[in-house]
């Protein structure tokens, strides 16, 4: 009898051991699809026409469409290994997002421990992205997004700088220390891009949240510090209403960094065409409000920026936006919004007025 039971006991022990090992690791497959119908009314001097488009959520939607894999392994003693592989896709065409990268949204591996913090390496969101998200009723999303670019006389012109990712990033984040959190990033240029640096400090306590980041490049050709970007954000939730706001100050802007807070290819501002000037500073602010009404959430904000050059030439651009989303479930939302351009450049912007209506589903 004992001899007969021994193999069964061994098999049971093996199954228990396998179950324990399996419980120490988790693999999560997730995804999101967001599509919206948008209408753009062009400014009279923009050189563009009015147009209807079906856009992926990465263009003024709630979220860019994506799929991803998240892995967590418990190494014991509170130490965990983790990895994320997340690819973007353009759901309106089926093409890969972020210029066709397989995992263009983020891909990193890291180690974390509750009392020591977390170390990550790979393609990651830069620190200002989370700070800017604190300033907008819908995070970095929808027509309210302060980081939405504008098409100024045919050229892409940033409102607030919002990269929002960088390559080859080594990041360390502290644990939460009585509400305080801090993080630092470094990305070597590897001879093809400028070196990128970033630091972030934040505090959260109940309904109050505040954070600031500072990011800059070290030029690979001159050794100068360029693309200096300071972002500050805060919000307070009163329950019936949430107030949000922030500022962003950008100086010594330069093209060709290849990595970091500013990776655009244009700083030329067209105002009183054909007159143009090249901005090396972009300074802005945003103020917003969010009102929850059961399954419906309403939001509004105003974002303004001023473009300047060393010779004192300047021009302003602003955006007033109103939006609402309706929760059909915890993961599926209907949303709609409208924005209006203001300031010196409003007639030179292809997106002078934008209307959108979309559907977002996650799993």
């Amino acid at each position: 009898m004992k001899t007969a039971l021994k193999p069964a006991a061994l098999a049971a022990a093996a199954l228990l051991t396998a179950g324990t090992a399996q419980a120490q690791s988790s693999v999560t497959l997730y995804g999101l699809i967001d599509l919206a119908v948008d209408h753009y009314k062009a400014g009279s001097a923009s050189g563009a026409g009015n147009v209807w488009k079906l856009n992926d959520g990465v263009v003024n939607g709630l979220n860019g469409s994506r799929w991803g894999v998240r892995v967590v392994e418990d190494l014991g003693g509170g130490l965990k290994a983790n990895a994320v592989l997340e690819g973007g896709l353009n759901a309106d065409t089926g093409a890969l997002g972020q210029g066709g990268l397989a995992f263009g949204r983020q891909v990193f591996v890291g180690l974390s421990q509750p009392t020591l913090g977390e170390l990550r390496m790979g393609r990651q969101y830069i620190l200002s992205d989370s700070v800017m998200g604190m300033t907008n009723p819908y995070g970095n999303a929808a027509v309210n997004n302060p980081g939405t670019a504008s098409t100024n006389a045919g050229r892409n012109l940033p409102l607030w700088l919002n990269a929002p990712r960088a390559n080859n990033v080594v990041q360390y984040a502290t644990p939460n220390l009585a509400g305080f959190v801090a993080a630092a990033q470094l990305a070597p240029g590897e001879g093809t891009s400028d070196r990128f640096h970033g630091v972030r400090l934040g505090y959260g306590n109940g309904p109050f949240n505040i954070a600031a980041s500072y990011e800059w490049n070290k030029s690979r050709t001159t050794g100068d510090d360029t693309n200096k970007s300071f972002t500050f954000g805060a919000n307070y939730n009163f329950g019936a209403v949430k107030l949000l706001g922030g500022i962003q100050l950008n100086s010594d802007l330069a093209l060709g960094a290849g990595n970091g807070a500013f990776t655009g290819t244009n700083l030329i501002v067209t105002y009183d065409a054909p007159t143009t000037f090249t901005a090396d500073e972009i300074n802005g602010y945003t103020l917003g409000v969010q009102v929850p009404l059961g399954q419906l959430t309403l939001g509004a904000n105003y974002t303004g920026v001023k473009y300047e050059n060393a010779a004192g030439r300047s021009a302003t651009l602003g955006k007033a936006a109103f939006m609402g989303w309706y929760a059909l479930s915890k993961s599926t939302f209907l949303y709609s919004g409208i924005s209006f351009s203001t300031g010196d450049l409003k007639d030179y912007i292809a997106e002078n007025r934008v209307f959108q209506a979309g559907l977002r589903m996650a799993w």
Side-chain angles (χ1 to χ4, degrees), residues 307-345:
Y307 305 92
E308 299 181 75
N309 70 0
R313 187 76 191 272
S314 66
T316 61
L317 178 63
K319 180 175 69 172
F322 308 88
M323 190 184 160
W325 73 13
Y326 186 83
L328 298 171
S329 70
K330 290 184 178 180
S331 58
T332 302
F333 301 92
L334 290 169
Y335 62 92
S336 185
I338 189 167
S339 67
F340 305 87
S341 293
T342 65
D344 299 330
L345 299 178

Side-chain angles (χ1 to χ4, degrees), residues 10-24:
L10 288 173
L15 286 172
L16 287 172
T17 302
T20 302
Q22 199 170 35
Q24 291 176 344

Side-chain angles (χ1 to χ4, degrees), residues 45-305:
S46 68
N50 302 337
V51 62
W52 286 94
K53 292 185 178 182
L54 177 65
N55 285 323
D56 184 83
V58 75
V59 183
N60 290 337
L62 287 186
N63 302 105
S65 298
R66 69 198 68 179
W67 76 277
V69 180
R70 183 179 295 110
V71 184
V72 178
E73 181 182 11
D74 191 339
L75 301 174
L79 182 65
K80 293 182 179 180
N82 59 84
V84 170
L85 299 91
E86 186 175 279
L89 61 98
N90 298 322
D92 53 331
T93 64
L96 291 174
Q98 291 76 49
L101 297 176
F103 297 104
R105 297 195 67 86
Q106 53 181 339
V107 54
F108 63 82
V109 66
L111 291 171
S112 65
Q113 208 275 347
T115 59
L116 297 178
E118 182 180 25
L119 178 68
R120 291 181 179 179
M121 297 182 292
R123 177 173 169 86
Q124 302 173 59
Y125 286 87
I126 64 174
L127 299 172
S128 60
D129 186 69
S130 62
V131 178
M132 191 171 73
M134 295 171 57
T135 72
N136 182 19
Y138 299 92
N140 295 332
V143 290
N144 306 71
N145 185 4
T148 302
S150 301
T151 308
N152 173 222
R155 300 185 184 94
N156 193 45
L157 190 64
L159 204 59
W160 278 32
L161 298 189
N162 183 30
R165 307 166 187 87
N167 294 327
N168 309 312
V169 173
V170 178
Q171 173 181 297
Y172 169 71
T174 69
N176 189 307
L177 303 170
F180 288 94
V181 291
Q185 292 183 333
L186 175 65
E190 301 186 350
T192 58
S193 300
D194 293 350
R195 193 168 75 226
F196 172 66
H197 317 74
V199 292
R200 181 188 187 276
L201 179 64
Y203 175 76
N205 184 10
F208 177 63
N209 293 279
I210 188 170
S213 64
Y214 183 69
E215 295 160 326
W216 71 100
N217 288 114
K218 175 74 73 173
S219 172
R220 62 189 181 278
T221 55
T222 66
D224 295 336
D225 289 343
T226 63
N227 298 321
K228 303 169 186 174
S229 182
F230 172 79
T231 306
F232 168 83
N235 58 61
Y236 194 95
N237 192 342
F238 292 92
V241 63
K242 185 177 184 179
L243 300 180
L244 313 95
I247 60 172
Q248 190 181 76
L249 308 175
N250 307 292
S251 61
D252 296 309
L253 297 177
L255 303 178
N259 217 16
F262 179 62
T263 57
T265 57
N266 175 57
L267 288 168
I268 298 173
V269 180
T270 298
Y271 174 43
D272 288 336
T275 304
T276 65
F277 67 92
T278 301
D280 62 4
E281 287 191 21
I282 304 175
N283 299 316
Y285 66 93
T286 188
L287 295 170
V289 60
Q290 184 186 74
V291 182
L293 301 169
Q295 292 173 266
L296 176 66
T297 302
L298 300 177
N301 68 343
Y302 182 81
T303 301
V305 299

